[in-house]
Amino acid sequence: MDLGGVDVWGQIALETSQMYVSEGGAAKSRTTIEKLPDKVLLNVFCYLSHREICRVARVCKRWRQIAYDTRLWKHVSLRPEVSGLHVSSLENLLHLISVRFGPSLRYIELPIELITHTVLHELANKCPNLTHMLLDFSTAMQLHDFSEMQAFPTKLKYMCICLSEVIFMEGFMRKIYNFINGLEILHLIGTYEKVEEEEEEIYEVINVHKLKSATPNLRVINLYGINFVDDSHIDAFSSNCIQLECLAVNFCAKVTGSTMKTLFQRSRRLTCLLMQGTNLQSEYVMQVEWEKSSIQELDITATDLSTECLIDMLTRIPGLRFLSAGQLNSFNDNVLKAWAELGNTRNLIALDLDSSDNLSDDALHKFLSRHGHQLYGLALSGMPHITDQLWQSVLPILTNARILVMGTQERLGVNIHVDQLMDGIANNCPNLERLELRWDPENLRFSDKSQKAIDVLRVKCIKMKCLSLR
């Protein structure tokens, strides 16, 4: 291992090799952790969270000095309820910026109570290499006064703003427009998960039409769960952001797709379109010139597109690689058959059909028999009629699979034999990295060979990072 120009394991091996045998025959080391060079300790500390780094800083003066090294403070979160440190006061944060962050800081997350013009001034002056910033206004009941703000980080490539339900952001945004024209990635996170079913009034808390004029270099735009975003906002971004490659409007319920045709005409580089939980209308989607698009990733989960629309769209997209089309009653055997026979599925590497109950296991088996060998990811969860029998029959085809998601939380009339399934996965999917089994525990059947099956999975799927049984 070579971190920061230091061969850590080589250094440790050298130190620990200096051993001697005592008269009693026991091996004793002359080396303790205190004798490790500062560079080695620094690289060891790199594996610690900032909370842990703050604890080890109390051990001794030497460790405190190393813990203050700015190279340990490149990526900092100050949102303790999510992750990261709790900073009790603005004075403490200003001290941290000066002493610990400095030119090494690349990424920072700030909660509402720490977002002030003074803090932003300090970040702009003391952290010239700051390129990624998250500003969390989601819990705001009022904003600080930004009337005196004259500086803001100028090298930002990535910015995420968590919006409030009721606080208008335009006063703050007007102050930063001149500093963010280099942005390439923009996330605006709404309050979809907090909104009640009967919303009295919807506030447009940020002016998207002004924002798009200040960010002409955007490649990625994510407008997640913003209740006021509609098709006009998509049209606004597409009119100014000619380099747009990825647009995500998941859970923006007012989006119907009425400006999608124009979007694709303007954004020739658009390869990723995520529209889960939107109110897409089939007539608008069918007007898009899909055959001329460069789209590779498409998410239409939990929309209400018709069977006719799905067939029309999927048979015209020339190079689709990732499709998420779960929770669609209209996605049936006819759609899958038409796509396989009339469309281009040669590039497909990931498919998510969660809770698509109108797909038969026979249609899925035929599709996977033809294309399963090219899939890196496959999710067939939430369908009670898809049991381990289908999976056992297609596992020999899924030789390149890295992610598999299977099972349903609904109680089944049959049992799932976990050890046989694990054995099949281990023998057929050597590249597997993530496996999710979502069946109800009451339907899972283990045998005295189950432990052996898990061991076989661990030995043969050496790239496995996650095994979820939920």
Side-chain angles (χ1 to χ4, degrees):
M1 180 184 295
D2 189 351
L3 297 175
V6 180
D7 184 357
V8 179
W9 299 125
Q11 182 69 42
I12 293 177
L14 176 64
E15 297 284 349
T16 55
S17 65
Q18 301 174 5
M19 304 179 72
Y20 65 93
V21 179
S22 67
E23 295 180 359
K28 293 185 178 180
S29 173
R30 296 171 180 162
T31 302
T32 63
I33 194 169
E34 287 81 7
K35 292 186 178 181
L36 291 177
D38 289 353
K39 291 182 178 180
V40 175
L41 275 179
L42 178 66
N43 282 289
V44 171
F45 286 3
C46 283
Y47 291 92
L48 303 178
S49 69
H50 286 128
R51 290 181 182 178
E52 292 168 329
I53 290 174
C54 289
R55 293 193 190 103
V56 301
R58 302 172 185 172
V59 172
C60 62
K61 290 182 179 179
R62 182 182 173 221
W63 282 30
R64 182 180 181 85
Q65 183 179 7
I66 296 172
Y68 270 40
D69 193 301
T70 58
R71 286 172 287 182
L72 293 176
W73 299 85
K74 293 180 180 179
H75 304 86
V76 178
S77 171
L78 301 178
R79 298 191 298 162
E81 72 283 359
V82 178
S83 64
L85 294 173
H86 171 69
V87 177
S88 58
S89 68
L90 289 173
E91 290 73 18
N92 288 342
L93 175 55
L94 296 174
H95 177 73
L96 284 174
I97 293 173
S98 228
V99 175
R100 298 198 190 184
F101 298 170
S104 294
L105 187 67
R106 300 289 190 277
Y107 174 94
I108 191 168
E109 297 182 5
L110 294 173
I112 176 61
E113 61 271 16
L114 298 179
I115 305 174
T116 69
H117 73 275
T118 306
V119 169
L120 296 173
H121 282 179
E122 282 295 290
L123 288 172
N125 295 328
K126 302 289 178 61
C127 307
N129 297 311
L130 182 62
T131 57
H132 293 62
M133 175 180 283
L134 183 150
L135 303 175
D136 189 352
F137 294 96
S138 60
T139 59
M141 297 309 294
Q142 67 179 41
L143 296 184
H144 292 281
D145 181 11
F146 294 101
S147 60
E148 297 181 11
M149 190 168 76
Q150 302 298 326
F152 192 78
T154 58
K155 291 187 179 180
L156 290 182
K157 299 296 182 183
Y158 168 108
M159 186 165 69
C160 178
I161 299 178
C162 301
L163 303 177
S164 168
E165 290 182 89
V166 295
I167 298 300
F168 293 94
M169 301 286 299
E170 195 52 33
F172 169 75
M173 297 302 295
R174 277 198 301 268
K175 290 292 185 177
I176 71 171
Y177 283 147
N178 292 333
F179 301 98
I180 60 174
N181 56 12
L183 277 183
E184 296 180 6
I185 301 173
L186 174 66
H187 295 269
L188 297 180
I189 309 301
T191 54
Y192 163 78
E193 296 177 354
K194 300 179 182 179
V195 174
E196 299 178 359
E197 291 185 4
E198 296 183 3
E199 187 71 22
E200 294 183 0
E201 188 173 357
I202 295 177
Y203 300 100
E204 190 163 340
V205 297
I206 194 168
N207 191 324
V208 172
H209 295 279
K210 290 184 179 179
L211 176 60
K212 61 97 177 180
S213 299
T215 53
N217 296 305
L218 287 177
R219 294 185 298 105
V220 177
I221 301 172
N222 177 22
L223 310 175
Y224 179 89
I226 304 177
N227 52 12
F228 64 80
V229 163
D230 58 25
D231 299 277
S232 69
H233 299 105
I234 295 177
D235 186 64
F237 274 121
S238 68
S239 68
N240 196 54
C241 304
I242 60 174
Q243 301 183 62
L244 189 60
E245 298 173 11
C246 174
L247 175 65
V249 289
N250 291 339
F251 303 106
C252 294
K254 288 191 172 184
V255 171
T256 65
S258 63
T259 60
M260 278 181 64
K261 182 178 180 179
T262 305
L263 168 68
F264 278 95
Q265 289 173 343
R266 292 170 174 168
S267 307
R268 295 297 183 181
R269 299 183 182 182
L270 190 66
T271 59
C272 177
L273 182 62
L274 310 180
M275 310 190 81
Q276 179 178 356
T278 56
N279 191 29
L280 287 180
Q281 302 297 305
S282 297
E283 59 181 300
Y284 298 138
V285 175
M286 294 173 70
Q287 291 173 6
V288 175
E289 296 174 314
W290 293 106
E291 61 277 1
K292 297 181 181 180
S293 74
S294 302
I295 205 74
Q296 296 180 15
E297 301 176 50
L298 180 65
D299 187 352
I300 49 174
T301 300
T303 55
D304 198 25
L305 298 178
S306 67
T307 296
E308 179 188 9
C309 176
L310 291 173
I311 293 175
D312 175 79
M313 176 176 59
L314 292 176
T315 55
R316 289 196 288 138
I317 298 178
L320 197 60
R321 291 168 58 83
F322 169 91
L323 175 66
S324 181
Q327 303 174 45
L328 289 174
N329 291 329
S330 53
F331 201 113
N332 54 31
D333 291 0
N334 292 331
V335 175
L336 205 59
K337 181 180 179 181
W339 186 26
E341 294 179 356
L342 304 175
N344 179 14
T345 52
R346 292 191 301 272
N347 298 319
L348 187 69
I349 61 171
L351 181 63
D352 183 352
L353 297 174
D354 175 70
S355 302
S356 295
D357 293 331
N358 290 327
L359 284 170
S360 67
D361 53 356
D362 182 59
L364 286 168
H365 187 274
K366 289 179 180 178
F367 186 87
L368 293 175
S369 296
R370 183 174 175 181
H371 301 290
H373 66 280
Q374 66 196 54
L375 295 181
Y376 290 174
L378 177 62
L380 300 178
S381 53
M383 293 181 274
H385 61 289
I386 304 300
T387 64
D388 54 338
Q389 292 184 356
L390 174 66
W391 282 102
Q392 290 282 20
S393 66
V394 299
L395 280 174
I397 308 167
L398 303 174
T399 53
N400 289 311
R402 298 176 185 177
I403 300 174
L404 294 177
V405 182
M406 56 188 74
T408 177
Q409 295 181 350
E410 296 183 41
R411 189 70 61 86
L412 304 179
V414 296
N415 293 323
I416 306 300
H417 299 281
V418 178
D419 50 338
Q420 297 177 13
L421 190 59
M422 292 287 191
D423 191 62
I425 293 170
N427 289 320
N428 293 290
C429 307
N431 298 315
L432 196 65
E433 298 178 13
R434 180 180 180 87
L435 174 63
E436 289 190 34
L437 304 181
R438 297 181 177 180
W439 281 293
D440 187 302
E442 294 296 323
N443 288 121
L444 297 181
R445 289 295 176 268
F446 299 89
S447 69
D448 53 359
K449 299 180 180 179
S450 296
Q451 183 59 52
K452 182 179 179 181
I454 294 291
D455 290 340
V456 171
L457 189 68
R458 289 165 51 196
V459 170
K460 293 192 175 184
C461 299
I462 58 175
K463 297 180 180 179
M464 178 78 74
K465 299 177 181 177
C466 177
L467 173 61
S468 175
L469 301 172
R470 58 172 184 159

